[in-house]
């Protein structure tokens, strides 16, 4: 529970080595499946850090794990975080990615720092499905909201995607 409460704030404050150390310790001690929330966060971070094997391992653990109670970001059910994770990994194609991102947006707490990520994934799913105009509108929103809320990474990715769209058009 301590890692669950501290992981997102530590990551957002740039303490990546600490976060990586905590996740490594949990994995080394067989704790992958003890807490679905931590497993989701571990999978999301592994994916962001470009570690697909670790992301898949943590994601599988997240799907098997359980979680009771309200999540640290205020989301009422772990299913919202699992939907975000499925969208991030895009295991079953772009249409499923869009559905998972939409579910995450509907169910992640309004004040959650993960909302910007869900919006970004929804926009990227539109790019993958060929709806570039809708994607560009969503990406503009992600960039604006991301910068406003301090989700600089999501804002940067959104701006990069917008630039890529502009180059192709």
């Amino acid at each position: 529970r301590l890692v669950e409460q501290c992981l997102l704030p530590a990551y957002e404050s740039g303490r990546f080595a600490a976060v990586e150390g905590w996740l490594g310790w949990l994995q080394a001690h067989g704790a992958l499946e003890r807490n679905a929330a931590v497993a989701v966060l571990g999978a999301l971070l592994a994916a962001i850090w470009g570690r697909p094997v670790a992301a898949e391992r943590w994601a599988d653990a997240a799907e098997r794990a359980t979680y009771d109670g309200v999540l640290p970001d205020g989301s009422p059910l772990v299913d919202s975080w699992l939907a975000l994770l499925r969208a991030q990994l895009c295991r079953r194609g772009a249409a499923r990615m869009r559905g998972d991102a939409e579910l995450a947006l509907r169910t992640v707490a309004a004040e959650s720092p993960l909302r910007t990520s869900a919006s970004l994934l929804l926009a990227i799913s539109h790019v993958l499905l060929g709806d570039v105009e809708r994607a560009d509108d969503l990406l503009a929103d992600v960039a604006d909201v991301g910068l406003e809320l301090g989700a600089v990474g999501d804002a940067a990715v959104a701006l990069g995607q917008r630039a890529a769209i502009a180059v192709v058009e």
Side-chain angles (χ1 to χ4, degrees):
R1 291 281 187 186
L2 182 60
V3 171
E4 170 192 320
Q5 296 295 321
C6 296
L7 198 133
L8 272 179
Y11 177 78
E12 290 170 350
S13 69
R15 295 184 1 233
F16 307 126
V19 168
E20 191 171 23
W22 298 339
L23 293 173
W25 187 92
L26 290 171
Q27 184 174 346
H29 289 84
L32 284 184
E33 295 179 22
R34 289 188 193 154
N35 184 309
V38 172
V40 167
L41 292 171
L44 289 170
L45 293 175
I48 290 168
W49 292 335
R51 298 178 182 152
V53 173
E56 292 293 335
R57 185 173 52 250
W58 281 88
D60 290 342
E63 294 286 350
R64 290 188 302 267
T66 60
Y67 189 87
D68 293 320
V70 175
L71 294 158
D73 69 343
S75 297
L77 298 171
V78 75
D79 292 345
S80 59
W81 283 21
L82 288 168
L84 177 70
L85 175 59
R86 286 191 304 270
Q88 174 78 31
L89 296 181
C90 192
R91 288 174 162 172
R92 295 197 176 130
R96 176 69 187 262
M97 177 187 187
R98 183 179 64 200
D100 287 330
E102 288 170 342
L103 175 60
L105 275 172
R106 284 192 311 272
T107 58
V108 169
E111 64 278 1
S112 174
L114 298 177
R115 284 190 71 76
T116 312
S117 298
S119 296
L120 176 61
L121 292 168
L122 178 60
I124 291 171
S125 74
H126 281 279
V127 170
L128 294 173
L129 292 167
D131 189 356
V132 178
E133 189 173 312
R134 177 70 178 132
D136 192 51
D137 291 341
L138 291 168
L139 290 165
D141 291 342
V142 170
D144 290 342
V145 171
L147 290 173
E148 182 181 315
L149 298 178
V152 179
D154 289 335
V157 172
L159 291 171
Q161 287 291 314
R162 291 195 77 205
I165 288 170
V167 168
V168 172
E169 292 182 342

